[in-house]
Amino acid sequence: MLTAQTEQDSRIKASEAQRQQSYFCPSCREQVILKRGTRMIAHFAHRAHSTCRPFSESESQAHLVGKWQLAEYFGVSNVELEPYIQTLAQRPDLLLKRNDRQLAVEYQCSSIPISRLQQRNQGYSSYGLSVLWILGENYLQKMVSVRHAEKWLQYSERLGWYLIFWQTRQQCLIIWHHLSLDGVGNFRGWAKTSNGNQYNQQNQMSVKAIEKHIQRQIQYGLYYRIPKWLKLQQFCYEHHGLLQDIPAICYQFKDAEPLICESPIIWAALMTVSLAEKPVGSLIKQLDLEKWAAKISIYFEGAQLIQCTTQQLVDSWGRQLMQYVRLLVQHGCLKVLSKKSWQLVAIPH
């Protein structure tokens, strides 16, 4: 903890505390220990075997330093440090106050189960607080795919799909924004820092490299009879196709929404297998696409996008389907009839 209560029940920062005084946890009222030295940021800690729930989690120096830096970044006058919300038995790292609005800010350096994360979010929501999760720099190297980032991904009209990090050494925010999936299921997009730098978050693989990667995965999965790949192959058999014969057009399906923890090319391949059963000249409606997407969803591990609303997820799936349709239209496979209907003029190959 960076703050504690005095015997007079006032809040004090560890950096301003005196060793000869007594200080207490704002939650459990147990006496806490002031820790301050040359190698660590000043903070308070519970004694061993404390049962205090909101303040019982041990904090790394990176976490203590980071949330202190964030308080300074947002402006100390705009921030309440470690406020204890008694009705929730929760305490955000910071409570940011701007324009008559309050925002809970959580700086997360360590791993946390999805169940615990959901519990924290629900608590803040029930109290009328929005929450902003900022990840420690140790997360930067981990966020390669949706599987690693799913529980932290957020969406906004301005930033698209995004993640926010704080680097303690550079003392700056890093925002990965307009994130999408490349052909093999890894993130690509943009990153910008609070000191004005912007750069491409990841280089795009060539179509040939993606095709080689996907085909190698399929061959390995089928050779070793991995259940996931056998089920995908069975789906293709039932729809008069082969998993190995992914139409070339599917390898052009890129910048996909981060909705599944798999390659979006495989998703596009199963959609195309379903489409290919229709005779040329068929009317294809948006409802058909939605039914196919729902049918093949059982073959993919969906991303647990717990920071998003139901409407945001519905909209994201809608964008994914329309992106797939645009690809087919561009390659002369579909002809636009209306906003929600198309004519199949050529089988994708």
Side-chain angles (χ1 to χ4, degrees):
M1 302 183 286
L2 294 176
T3 62
Q5 300 292 114
T6 67
E7 290 181 313
Q8 291 75 37
D9 207 31
S10 60
R11 184 66 68 91
I12 188 169
K13 298 175 183 176
S15 58
E16 300 171 356
Q18 302 298 319
R19 293 189 183 278
Q20 64 271 25
Q21 301 296 320
S22 296
Y23 302 103
F24 305 89
C25 172
S27 171
C28 66
R29 305 301 299 173
E30 290 178 2
Q31 188 170 351
V32 292
I33 305 167
L34 173 62
K35 293 190 173 183
R36 187 167 57 211
T38 58
R39 296 185 179 181
M40 63 178 66
I41 189 169
H43 66 284
F44 298 101
H46 280 80
R47 299 180 188 278
H49 311 298
S50 170
T51 58
C52 179
R53 199 182 90 188
F55 288 89
S56 61
E57 298 176 356
S58 60
E59 296 182 87
S60 66
Q61 278 295 298
H63 185 247
L64 290 166
V65 170
K67 64 181 175 180
W68 184 259
Q69 291 176 347
L70 282 166
E72 294 183 331
Y73 173 79
F74 288 119
V76 176
S77 60
N78 300 320
V79 165
E80 185 177 353
L81 194 61
E82 299 178 336
Y84 178 57
I85 305 174
Q86 190 168 4
T87 56
L88 301 178
Q90 289 182 215
R91 49 115 190 181
D93 290 323
L94 308 173
L95 189 61
L96 181 60
K97 302 175 183 179
R98 284 185 176 174
N99 301 324
D100 298 323
R101 292 181 61 242
Q102 292 186 328
L103 175 69
V105 178
E106 292 279 14
Y107 178 54
Q108 192 67 30
C109 292
S110 60
S111 60
I112 182 173
I114 282 185
S115 58
R116 177 64 177 146
L117 186 58
Q118 287 176 311
Q119 181 185 23
R120 299 273 286 276
N121 285 345
Q122 289 166 3
Y124 291 131
S125 178
S126 68
Y127 197 71
L129 279 176
S130 297
V131 58
L132 174 65
W133 290 92
I134 299 177
L135 304 176
E137 56 192 321
N138 58 314
Y139 272 96
L140 275 168
Q141 304 303 319
K142 300 176 183 178
M143 298 303 180
V144 177
S145 66
V146 178
R147 193 179 304 276
H148 297 100
E150 54 185 342
K151 61 187 176 186
W152 303 113
L153 277 169
Q154 300 177 72
Y155 183 84
S156 76
E157 291 296 326
R158 185 171 66 91
L159 296 173
W161 291 102
Y162 69 93
L163 295 163
I164 302 180
F165 307 88
W166 177 261
Q167 277 196 316
T168 55
R169 284 171 292 181
Q170 285 77 18
Q171 296 190 39
C172 69
L173 282 178
I174 300 177
I175 303 176
W176 288 5
H177 61 98
H178 293 97
L179 294 172
S180 61
L181 298 186
D182 66 11
V184 298
N186 291 332
F187 280 131
R188 66 187 305 265
W190 293 89
K192 64 179 179 180
T193 66
S194 55
N195 54 22
N197 296 324
Q198 179 149 310
Y199 53 92
N200 199 317
Q201 195 271 324
Q202 189 178 30
N203 294 324
Q204 177 76 343
M205 294 175 65
S206 69
V207 173
K208 285 188 176 181
I210 292 172
E211 182 176 358
K212 184 176 180 180
H213 177 87
I214 296 294
Q215 286 296 330
R216 187 164 57 241
Q217 277 190 315
I218 293 171
Q219 292 168 9
Y220 181 91
L222 295 178
Y223 181 82
Y224 288 100
R225 303 189 62 79
I226 296 173
K228 180 185 85 171
W229 294 100
L230 292 178
K231 289 177 182 178
L232 290 171
Q233 183 71 292
Q234 183 61 35
F235 177 90
C236 293
Y237 280 152
E238 292 172 358
H239 293 79
H240 310 100
L242 284 175
L243 184 60
Q244 298 94 319
D245 296 335
I246 295 177
I249 191 174
C250 294
Y251 290 106
Q252 301 291 332
F253 188 71
K254 55 186 178 180
D255 298 328
E257 301 279 323
L259 293 164
I260 59 174
C261 300
E262 315 268 349
S263 165
I265 288 173
I266 301 297
W267 179 88
L270 266 59
M271 289 289 291
T272 305
V273 164
S274 301
L275 176 67
E277 285 194 307
K278 298 286 186 180
V280 172
S282 295
L283 176 66
I284 307 298
K285 297 182 179 180
Q286 183 172 328
L287 184 59
D288 296 320
L289 297 171
E290 291 172 352
K291 287 180 178 178
W292 297 341
K295 186 176 180 180
I296 69 175
S297 65
I298 63 173
Y299 296 92
F300 299 97
E301 182 183 349
Q304 299 186 65
L305 302 170
I306 64 171
Q307 308 286 355
C308 306
T309 66
T310 300
Q311 188 59 54
Q312 285 174 331
L313 293 177
V314 170
D315 292 345
S316 184
W317 273 113
R319 291 193 299 270
Q320 175 105 327
L321 288 173
M322 289 307 99
Q323 182 182 348
Y324 175 68
V325 166
R326 286 194 296 272
L327 179 67
L328 295 175
V329 171
Q330 290 168 3
H331 285 76
C333 298
L334 291 181
K335 177 183 178 181
V336 178
L337 299 179
S338 70
K339 188 176 180 180
K340 295 186 178 182
S341 63
W342 306 267
Q343 183 181 29
L344 180 63
V345 294
I347 300 298
H349 61 275

